[in-house]
Amino acid sequence: MTNMPGSQPPIVNAMTIDVEDYFHVSVFDGVLPRTQWDSLESRVCANTDKLLEIFTEYEVHGTFFVLGWVAERFPDLVRRIAAGGHEIASHGYAHRLIYDQTPAAFRADVRRAKAILEDASGRRVNGYRAPSYSITPRSLWALDVLLEEGYRYDSSIFPIRHDRYGIPVSARGPYAIERSVGTLVEVPGSTTTAGPLNLPIGGGGYFRILPYWWTRWGIARVNRIEKRAAVFYLHPWEIDPGQPRLRASRLSSFRHYRNLDATEGRLRRLLTDFRFGTMDAVLEETHLHSARAAAALPYCW
Ligand SMILES: [Zn+2]
């Protein structure tokens, strides 16, 4: 742990996993027809089980945003995750970018995913994370749909500039979004600041491609200076250097395949350097789990 003797107990950060297979990733949209998904070798169960073993070893519980397409085919995987004391949340059903869908299609997608996940786990699903963080200024209507479909928190609005996602002016920490249909709690992936820029520190490609010290420094900064929990994310395929190679553009291949063989070791370092829990732990800590408390917070952006 990074904090000094005699200081406050270390903050519990959120460990979040987007449970999908290597071929679901948005960089392969348009390259690999969805009709081929069922014919490809699936590695999501083995990779997720490996993450579950690692988390057991380090006594960490996390939030697993499971793709409905995966849960439908492998309900036992959902049950194993839930049985390990982890939170089951939703990554939607078909991994389509929200701004490429109609509101009706998006509603059907998140409703189907929630039903499959709740059936498999026997637990209520409260959280949602969009494929490729695709809640942007052109898909804010999705927040209303999520509330109407019974979701209580979202983790899809990244406060950064990126070619596929992000709302750079949105808040960096957890906040409440008041909509006419209710109040949704937003828990963004973590960033640090450099002048006017927000820079991602919290996982995925940034964790794999940039040196480990960047994430370690960033999370420590959020914990020590901002005195709040960081939200880290990873995908099961990111610890699988043996996954089949799919053809994509040079940039997409770099983003997807870089340092796959180093990620498990980095994850183990991260679990040694910081404390982690589910998204619930973060929501409790920030008192955003209560809708009443959430409603009292300022509306952001
Ligand atoms: Zn995804």
Side-chain angles (χ1 to χ4, degrees):
M1 304 291 166
T2 53
N3 65 325
M4 304 296 288
S7 61
Q8 293 290 312
I11 287 177
V12 179
N13 300 290
M15 172 56 66
T16 71
I17 306 294
D18 294 356
V19 180
E20 63 194 28
D21 229 319
Y22 60 97
F23 48 80
H24 291 127
V25 181
S26 300
V27 296
F28 301 123
D29 277 355
V31 177
L32 179 73
R34 291 165 173 267
T35 50
Q36 287 186 18
W37 283 0
D38 267 319
S39 64
L40 295 169
E41 177 195 356
S42 176
R43 299 169 74 92
V44 67
C45 290
N47 292 331
T48 306
D49 282 333
K50 182 146 194 204
L51 284 175
L52 291 173
E53 279 172 28
I54 294 170
F55 291 153
T56 300
E57 189 181 328
Y58 288 85
E59 299 181 358
V60 163
H61 293 127
T63 291
F64 287 65
F65 293 89
V66 184
L67 195 65
W69 190 95
V70 169
E72 189 174 58
R73 282 155 183 79
F74 308 111
D76 281 348
L77 178 65
V78 179
R79 283 190 272 278
R80 287 199 294 281
I81 298 168
H86 306 283
E87 179 191 4
I88 300 291
S90 167
H91 196 34
Y93 179 82
H95 213 273
R96 291 185 191 279
L97 300 173
I98 295 181
Y99 45 72
D100 287 346
Q101 298 181 73
T102 63
F106 175 69
R107 184 185 299 278
D109 181 278
V110 295
R111 182 180 292 181
R112 186 176 181 187
K114 195 170 191 287
I116 292 169
L117 292 165
E118 290 182 345
D119 261 12
S121 67
R123 296 196 197 159
R124 188 191 149 93
V125 165
N126 293 316
Y128 174 77
R129 176 175 288 152
S132 289
Y133 295 98
S134 53
I135 297 186
T136 69
R138 40 186 187 129
S139 51
L140 287 175
W141 48 262
L143 301 170
D144 297 336
V145 176
L146 289 172
L147 278 165
E148 286 163 356
E149 293 302 319
Y151 289 93
R152 296 179 65 197
Y153 77 87
D154 172 67
S155 183
S156 311
I157 300 178
F158 227 127
I160 61 166
R161 215 172 281 286
H162 185 278
D163 55 357
R164 277 197 311 275
Y165 57 81
I167 301 181
V169 298
S170 59
R172 295 176 47 245
Y175 56 100
I177 302 177
E178 289 179 51
R179 307 287 292 182
S180 59
V181 293
T183 301
L184 191 70
V185 175
E186 177 64 34
V187 190
S190 284
T191 53
T192 191
T193 53
L197 290 178
N198 296 335
L199 302 174
I201 53 164
Y206 307 105
F207 181 63
R208 267 186 302 117
I209 294 165
L210 299 174
Y212 173 70
W213 65 258
W214 171 255
T215 297
R216 186 175 192 273
W217 173 80
I219 293 179
R221 196 173 185 215
V222 168
N223 288 173
R224 283 192 193 149
I225 296 177
E226 300 177 28
K227 299 196 179 353
R228 66 181 176 207
V231 178
F232 179 83
Y233 72 95
L234 203 66
H235 305 84
W237 54 263
E238 291 188 278
I239 59 160
D240 181 13
Q243 68 191 263
R245 294 307 195 252
L246 301 173
R247 273 147 79 102
S249 70
R250 189 174 290 193
L251 175 62
S252 296
S253 293
F254 176 81
R255 280 180 179 167
H256 188 88
Y257 295 119
R258 179 81 176 157
N259 286 345
L260 290 173
D261 55 350
T263 310
E264 182 185 336
R266 289 184 180 196
L267 177 63
R268 289 176 178 278
R269 285 184 71 182
L270 189 75
L271 296 174
T272 305
D273 286 339
F274 298 95
R275 285 184 68 201
F276 285 95
T278 66
M279 207 67 125
D280 275 352
V282 177
L283 294 168
E284 297 272 336
E285 206 171 82
T286 52
H287 306 293
L288 284 172
H289 58 295
S290 144
R292 185 174 299 183
L297 287 165
Y299 175 82
C300 298
W301 92 74

